[in-house]
Amino acid sequence: MELAWNIPMQGTSHFTWEYDSERETLLNLYQKGKDKQWDSAKRIDWSLEVDPYDVLGTPEHTLGLYGSKQYSKLNVREKQELRQHMAAWEFSQFLHGEQGAMICSARIVESVPDIDSKFYASTQVMDEARHMELFSKFVKEKIEMTYPISPHLKELLGQALTDSRWDMPYLGMQVLIEGLALAAFGILRDKTTKPLPKQILSYIMQDEARHVAFGRLALRDYYKNLSSKELAEREDFIVEGCYLMRDRLRMQEVWENLGFDMKECMEYMNNGPRMRAFRSLLFTRIVPCVKDIGLWSPKIRQAYDDMGVLDLAGGDLVKLMESDELQAEALDAERREMEARRAEVHEAIAEGVLGGPAGAGAGAA
């Protein structure tokens, strides 16, 4: 297994002596980024147990391979093993993606020309480091298995990081990779019955809502001033990246590790009913964001039409992000209420012990 990956850096480090900014919206987002920092060691309840053979608690029929000939051959133990491998692969890719987001955010701090963008991107570096920390802990200690970075994710990261233009790492990372991951987080958050992964996904999505807002603001402003040739180059990158992200979801490394029939598995993952629906849902964050930042040529629309996701362009990103933040806050409120109830129970038990028969007898004596 490859333990490191070195990429030659491209581009220019950009200093600016203009410390005043007129973009109040970005500065407000920067303030929010500072206010919303949190410690994963304290906010996450790591005492919660996780069954590595049933990480999410989802029904069997929701598994991507369910219904295939390969799946029908598996016994109970093999199905449990498959669940562990699938969860390990999925959360490992989340982990690798978060490291990519951290490095891309650091590149933006270095290369973006505007001071307000540098301010905000610096808070995102810390957010992504926190996400890496908790995904790493979850994969190693709870699932007890890790997977290397998928070749499709690695290829797109390499393309984004070897481009000298400051916006390309953000376009590749935040719009494509994180946009797809954010949709996946939401799907898993909403269907899991297990409290620990629900906490992890909910709290990360609260951070990502800010990141998506920054990407939309920064790129939309920048792309207004680009030439048609420069916009076309970025649209080509978007189209190729979306196909890579779509193909990334087929989990071929899992089927290889388990010795499954690769041809049969890949055919089912490409055309099976659950995966077709799942792929469509995964583009709910990407398509409206691409349209919003101004990359909406006939070529982009044709690619999304071919993928069957063009109708997602009308999605309301602001409402989606607001919902992500509210769900995290609701989870916090629910946990505070449960902790208050437990404290009341412990207090009642303690009072009962102190005021019990032994205490009463002593008073009578």
Side-chain angles (χ1 to χ4, degrees):
M1 176 179 174
E2 185 181 51
L3 297 178
W5 182 34
N6 298 317
I7 302 178
M9 289 298 183
Q10 304 291 329
T12 303
S13 297
H14 191 104
F15 285 80
T16 178
W17 313 129
E18 296 182 20
Y19 294 108
D20 295 327
S21 173
E22 298 180 357
R23 292 196 292 184
E24 185 177 353
T25 305
L26 268 179
L27 291 178
N28 289 340
L29 202 58
Y30 168 56
Q31 182 62 48
K32 191 174 184 180
K34 292 188 293 181
D35 293 341
K36 295 290 185 178
Q37 292 296 316
W38 51 279
D39 187 344
S40 63
K42 296 177 180 177
R43 196 181 188 191
I44 302 291
D45 183 0
W46 291 106
S47 68
L48 292 167
E49 293 186 2
V50 173
D51 179 357
Y53 298 107
D54 189 16
V55 173
L56 296 170
T58 49
E60 182 181 26
H61 67 81
T62 64
L63 300 179
L65 206 59
Y66 179 83
S68 66
K69 293 178 182 178
Q70 176 64 65
Y71 191 84
S72 67
K73 300 173 185 177
L74 305 180
N75 59 35
V76 173
R77 182 190 63 79
E78 290 169 335
K79 289 178 180 178
Q80 290 177 330
E81 185 180 39
L82 171 61
R83 277 182 175 264
Q84 183 184 23
H85 277 261
M86 291 178 71
W89 183 90
E90 194 158 33
F91 280 91
S92 292
Q93 301 317 311
F94 292 161
L95 168 60
H96 303 318
E98 295 296 340
Q99 181 174 183
M102 181 182 70
I103 292 172
C104 286
S105 300
R107 287 284 307 278
I108 292 169
V109 175
E110 178 185 25
S111 59
V112 69
D114 306 305
I115 193 65
D116 46 14
S117 293
K118 289 181 184 292
F119 283 164
Y120 180 76
S122 66
T123 68
Q124 186 172 341
V125 174
M126 185 60 194
D127 289 344
E128 307 297 4
R130 178 169 57 249
H131 301 170
M132 276 181 62
E133 174 194 356
L134 62 89
F135 273 137
S136 177
K137 185 179 179 71
F138 185 69
V139 168
K140 292 178 181 178
E141 297 183 7
K142 301 298 185 178
I143 304 180
E144 301 173 4
M145 180 185 293
T146 60
Y147 263 80
I149 187 171
S150 77
H152 300 97
L153 175 56
K154 187 175 181 180
E155 182 176 348
L156 184 53
L157 268 176
Q159 289 179 11
L161 286 169
T162 54
D163 197 294
S164 62
R165 295 164 292 187
W166 77 262
D167 64 300
M168 297 305 284
Y170 209 92
L171 188 60
M173 189 65 243
Q174 196 60 54
V175 175
L176 297 183
I177 297 174
E178 291 267 81
L180 184 141
L182 189 55
F185 294 167
I187 293 169
L188 298 184
R189 176 199 62 192
D190 295 342
K191 75 178 184 178
T192 184
T193 60
K194 305 296 185 180
L196 183 56
K198 183 177 284 291
Q199 286 180 27
I200 290 171
L201 294 166
S202 297
Y203 296 149
I204 287 179
M205 291 185 75
Q206 187 178 38
D207 290 343
E208 297 293 354
R210 298 192 304 275
H211 302 170
V212 171
F214 168 62
R216 290 172 62 227
L217 289 168
L219 294 179
R220 186 169 55 195
D221 287 351
Y222 181 61
Y223 290 164
K224 287 178 182 177
N225 301 313
L226 294 189
S227 67
S228 57
K229 179 178 181 295
E230 290 170 322
L231 290 174
E233 291 170 351
R234 284 151 179 84
E235 288 172 344
D236 288 343
F237 177 79
I238 284 283
V239 170
E240 183 179 355
C242 283
Y243 279 116
L244 282 171
M245 289 297 93
R246 183 196 63 177
D247 294 341
R248 163 191 169 192
L249 306 169
R250 296 181 295 181
M251 293 189 179
Q252 58 261 42
E253 299 92 340
V254 173
W255 322 137
E256 289 171 354
N257 272 353
L258 294 175
F260 288 177
D261 184 323
M262 284 296 297
K263 183 178 179 181
E264 202 274 328
C265 287
M266 296 302 285
E267 174 65 24
Y268 196 79
M269 292 298 284
N270 284 335
N271 301 309
R274 273 161 298 282
M275 285 307 298
R276 284 203 305 271
F278 185 60
R279 277 195 295 269
S280 178
L281 289 172
L282 286 173
F283 280 85
T284 54
R285 312 288 179 123
I286 294 176
V287 177
C289 187
V290 170
K291 182 180 180 181
D292 183 74
I293 62 178
L295 301 179
W296 202 241
S297 69
K299 181 174 184 178
I300 289 276
R301 295 197 295 273
Q302 183 61 56
Y304 285 150
D305 192 30
D306 292 343
M307 295 182 198
V309 296
L310 182 61
D311 60 336
L312 299 176
D316 191 328
L317 276 176
V318 174
K319 285 187 177 179
L320 284 172
M321 299 301 115
E322 288 175 349
S323 175
D324 292 338
E325 294 202 71
L326 289 174
Q327 288 199 53
E329 292 170 2
L331 184 58
D332 275 338
E334 180 183 333
R335 291 178 62 194
R336 286 194 297 268
E337 183 179 350
M338 291 298 296
E339 289 169 3
R341 288 181 181 179
R342 282 195 291 268
E344 289 175 0
V345 170
H346 291 320
E347 184 178 351
I349 292 172
E351 289 177 353
V353 170
L354 292 175

